[in-house]
Amino acid sequence: MTGIISPANVDLSPIGNCTVSALVDAEGAFVWACAPRPDSDPLFCALLNDAPADAAEARGCWTITLADGVSSTQAYLPNTAILRTELTDSHGASVEILDFCPRYRQLDRIYRPTAYVRMVRPLKGSPRITVRLRPTCDYGGYPAQATAGSNHIRYDCSNLTLRLSTNCPVSHIADERTFRLEQDLAFFLGPDEPFGGEIEAGARHMLSRTEAYWREWVRTLAIPLDWQSAVIRAAIGLKLCVYEETGAIIAAMTTSLPESAGSGRNWDYRYCWLRDAYYVIQALTRLGAMDILENYLGYLRNIVSQAGGGRIQPVYGVGYEARLTERTAPDLAGYRGMGPVRVGNQASEHDQFDVYGQIVLSSVHAFFDERLLRRGSMADFEALEEVGEQAFALHDQPDAGLWEFRTRASIHTYSAVMCWAACDRLGNAAEVLGLPDRAELWNNRAKTIRARIEKDAWNADVGRFAASFGGEETDASLLQLIDLRFIKPDDPRHLATLKGLEADLRKGSYFLRYSNPDDFGRPETAFNFCTFWFIEALKLVGRDEEARELFVEMLNRRTRAGLLSEDIAFEGGELWGNYPQTYSLVGLINCAVLLSRPWSSVR
């Protein structure tokens, strides 16, 4: 609490407004934030800096520290993305910090600027604080150039210029001076333009409007009776991973947080995986978050049109970019010094044929849901048929699979089942559109794919489905055959497969994606989303008590912010991987909905 940057960990709290976001540590330091887009050069990169203990040498951070500080407490304002941190010093003096990104309706549109607001006020005693604002450029390569005005500081970064407007004496910030906090201070780091009006009053207005926005959004959610606060926090976390300008949904806010210590499994997740986004939409639609669904369907329509009936990648940039060339950032040491730090993702070059199913499954909702402002049209259906043609043509071809193996390909069962689902759901859409000939065509294609899967994915020697055609390896994605309606929970083939998966992939309370070595050796951590898949499977076969016990265990592994990363250690339960991970939050929501008591039980 004396200006020391905490050792890197994922116990971080996100703020954001669906344009930009930031991750804030337990002491109120901004340690990660990218602007003007979630996949941009980070303004604050201390999370991957392996920052020294001496804050005087730290870079890529924004800290507000309390002299002689000894403790901190932190929590969100209820049902919002507004974070409150309270710092206390050794003399009992304390301060409050409120952090948020403005978001509210203004002039018949949503105001969500590339901006961060910090409000600081003394609570008790005579606190002395130091403000250190140190944005960096080119992935930690050099500090942003700062130019001070009378009541602002301009920061020239590699891809944008931001202006800090404040009622704090500018020299206090420029010189990083320690001073007594005797009045409420406001900091608005945003577009390089004059701040309209008085800064402290303006910040309070933004705070009030932003708080009202988030509370109203949460009020529209159809949440389960049990675990309400956990579901609300997960839903807000998912919404913060939306880039509303285009409707894209990123897989996580970070890059290169390793899946396990020193593993080299460091990936950039700040892009829109169509698979991940499908699961996000599935979960949020169950909660009634139609705004995110509708916006994402627009993103998908652009991706499908861009493909023109040809190959569709598994991942795109938030602005529909197809080229995501992977490179390393040499000036960042990595999380706890565990490089490399990667920018871009080679997965954009992979063949992953499950994506055709995820596009169709996400999109056909528009033909059935009358709440949507833009319902599915005949033109939309015809465009989806092009996607279906690809699914049918590729269902029995080798690909990299949903786990994105980099050096080998197989005919993956999950990919084939997703292609089956694409054809099956196109048949459903054709029926509702009154197109019996097209319905018959797609239903027949679905039957053809089903027959192939049942013949080649079923391994009679081991008595269960295998992860690939003609193989015998296990894979947690086989649990999704129930969710996709390919097989019923009480089917003996599913029960046999579940038994085999549990024997091979369950490690205590957690579940692996797979156990066979991959490009980087054997997995050393469990995959949180797969643990939630397993919990769902337990519930659906009647192992209710066990399912609830494992779910509570996962809830206990969340960060202070109520969120989860991608992976978890078998021993000790430490979180690893990129954060917050949309997959994991989806699993939390889906399990809470499935396991909760019905509302009718308390009425």
Side-chain angles (χ1 to χ4, degrees):
M1 299 298 301
T2 57
I4 293 177
I5 302 297
S6 302
N9 62 75
V10 299
D11 194 14
L12 305 169
S13 299
I15 60 171
N17 62 4
C18 302
T19 295
V20 291
S21 60
L23 293 176
V24 186
D25 75 7
E27 297 173 0
F30 281 30
V31 296
W32 183 258
C34 300
R37 303 186 346 175
D39 55 359
S40 295
D41 184 8
L43 296 169
F44 305 115
C45 58
L47 181 63
L48 300 182
N49 249 352
D50 194 26
D54 182 2
E57 300 177 20
R59 58 194 173 97
C61 58
W62 187 358
T63 64
I64 299 174
T65 54
L66 187 60
D68 301 318
V70 294
S71 67
S72 67
T73 60
Q74 195 173 72
Y76 288 100
L77 300 191
N79 294 357
T80 77
I82 301 169
L83 186 67
R84 180 184 184 274
T85 305
E86 184 174 326
L87 306 178
T88 303
D89 70 15
S90 58
H91 309 289
S94 61
V95 301
E96 174 191 74
I97 306 171
L98 293 175
D99 291 321
F100 66 98
C101 296
R103 179 178 173 85
Y104 48 87
R105 183 163 290 281
Q106 176 176 277
L107 301 177
D108 200 34
R109 60 182 182 270
I110 294 293
Y111 176 65
R112 41 174 171 75
T114 302
Y116 306 90
V117 179
R118 311 199 74 176
M119 302 178 68
V120 188
R121 69 184 182 102
L123 295 178
K124 184 179 178 182
S126 302
R128 298 170 63 241
I129 68 169
T130 308
V131 180
R132 297 181 175 89
L133 177 50
R134 299 173 176 177
T136 58
C137 306
D138 194 18
Y139 286 85
Y142 56 94
Q145 182 178 355
T147 306
S150 57
N151 60 358
H152 73 268
I153 302 177
R154 178 183 292 109
Y155 295 92
D156 289 317
C157 303
S158 56
N159 57 350
L160 81 164
T161 299
L162 293 177
R163 177 187 296 226
L164 176 73
S165 300
T166 181
N167 62 332
C168 177
V170 168
S171 66
H172 285 2
I173 303 167
D175 297 338
E176 298 186 351
R177 181 180 298 132
T178 300
F179 62 95
R180 284 172 60 102
L181 181 66
E182 297 182 333
Q183 67 178 66
D184 292 1
L185 297 180
F187 304 86
F188 181 86
L189 181 64
D192 184 23
E193 55 193 38
F195 187 90
E198 194 269 313
I199 179 66
E200 203 261 333
R204 292 204 173 279
H205 173 76
M206 290 180 181
L207 173 67
S208 175
R209 296 287 300 275
T210 299
E211 182 177 11
Y213 170 84
W214 283 109
R215 287 179 179 270
E216 183 63 26
W217 184 77
V218 167
R219 195 171 69 89
T220 67
L221 299 179
I223 61 174
L225 171 61
D226 296 322
W227 307 295
Q228 292 185 42
S229 61
V231 170
I232 289 170
R233 189 49 54 195
I236 291 174
L238 289 179
K239 188 173 175 72
L240 292 180
C241 290
V242 170
Y243 182 64
E244 198 166 65
E245 186 78 10
T246 62
I249 303 170
I250 59 174
M253 292 180 183
T254 57
T255 178
S256 303
L257 301 192
E259 295 179 14
S260 58
S263 65
R265 301 172 188 263
N266 302 10
W267 315 116
D268 191 348
Y269 277 12
R270 300 171 300 153
Y271 308 109
C272 184
W273 268 261
L274 304 188
R275 176 191 312 113
D276 300 50
Y278 154 71
Y279 282 109
V280 171
I281 289 301
Q282 181 192 56
L284 289 178
T285 301
R286 286 171 176 165
L287 299 183
M290 305 307 292
D291 56 333
I292 299 176
L293 167 65
E294 201 145 29
N295 210 21
Y296 177 65
L297 292 181
Y299 180 84
L300 273 187
R301 288 191 293 270
N302 276 281
I303 294 298
V304 170
S305 294
Q306 182 175 299
R311 174 181 177 268
I312 294 178
Q313 299 175 188
V315 56
Y316 290 85
V318 298
Y320 321 125
E321 294 86 1
R323 189 176 179 84
L324 303 176
T325 304
E326 188 174 301
R327 62 181 178 88
T328 59
D331 296 301
L332 292 176
Y335 180 78
R336 301 183 188 172
M338 299 174 189
V341 172
R342 290 188 172 94
V343 180
N345 201 298
Q346 188 196 17
S348 61
E349 303 170 15
H350 292 179
D351 288 327
Q352 294 176 30
F353 300 144
D354 57 309
V355 70
Y356 298 104
Q358 283 123 15
I359 290 174
V360 173
L361 266 63
S362 296
S363 300
V364 294
H365 196 94
F367 299 104
F368 294 91
D369 196 329
E370 295 186 9
R371 295 172 295 176
L372 295 175
L373 297 176
R374 187 193 183 283
R375 298 289 304 281
S377 67
M378 185 60 68
D380 294 336
F381 178 73
E382 291 169 352
L384 284 180
E385 284 197 300
E386 294 182 345
V387 177
E389 293 288 352
Q390 290 288 323
F392 185 67
L394 298 169
H395 74 272
D396 58 355
Q397 299 300 304
D399 71 351
L402 81 162
W403 307 128
E404 300 179 346
F405 297 116
R406 294 196 164 202
T407 60
R408 66 176 188 265
S410 300
I411 304 173
H412 289 96
T413 303
Y414 176 85
S415 296
V417 172
M418 268 295 180
C419 290
W420 165 84
C423 297
D424 179 74
R425 304 316 193 263
L426 282 170
N428 294 345
E431 288 175 2
V432 78
L433 290 171
L435 303 171
D437 292 345
R438 305 309 295 169
E440 182 179 10
L441 170 72
W442 290 111
N443 289 335
N444 285 337
R445 288 183 171 180
K447 290 177 183 177
T448 298
I449 299 176
R450 171 182 282 278
R452 182 69 189 276
I453 295 169
E454 291 179 337
K455 173 179 176 291
D456 290 343
W458 178 259
N459 187 315
D461 293 337
V462 295
R464 56 169 170 75
F465 283 108
S468 64
F469 284 16
E472 61 178 35
E473 71 276 24
T474 54
D475 184 326
S477 66
L478 295 171
L479 296 172
Q480 288 293 283
L481 272 59
I482 306 172
D483 189 68
L484 293 169
R485 303 202 302 270
F486 185 83
I487 197 169
K488 294 182 178 180
D490 60 355
D491 189 306
R493 295 173 299 174
H494 167 66
L495 296 175
T497 301
L498 175 60
K499 181 179 180 180
L501 294 178
E502 184 172 6
D504 190 37
L505 302 181
R506 183 175 182 177
K507 303 295 181 184
S509 298
Y510 312 123
F511 219 73
L512 292 168
R513 288 173 290 184
Y514 47 84
S515 60
N516 288 352
D518 60 15
D519 310 327
F520 292 81
R522 289 189 179 276
E524 299 175 15
T525 52
F527 198 73
N528 289 327
F529 196 25
C530 294
T531 299
F532 287 119
W533 282 351
F534 179 59
I535 292 169
E536 290 183 77
L538 291 177
K539 167 65 177 177
L540 293 173
V541 298
R543 296 163 63 179
D544 293 27
E545 183 176 347
E546 196 174 351
R548 291 178 71 92
E549 288 176 356
L550 290 182
F551 183 59
V552 170
E553 166 69 16
M554 290 302 294
L555 290 179
N556 291 337
R557 294 303 179 183
R558 293 175 299 155
T559 62
R560 287 172 297 105
L563 306 176
L564 288 163
S565 64
E566 182 180 43
D567 306 277
I568 193 165
F570 304 140
E571 301 295 333
E574 182 177 6
L575 293 174
W576 289 87
N578 283 306
Y579 175 88
Q581 177 73 12
T582 54
Y583 261 161
S584 301
L585 302 183
V586 164
L588 187 158
I589 290 171
N590 287 343
C591 285
V593 170
L594 182 65
L595 298 173
S596 174
R597 295 169 296 162
W599 281 96
S600 59
S601 67
V602 295
R603 289 174 182 159

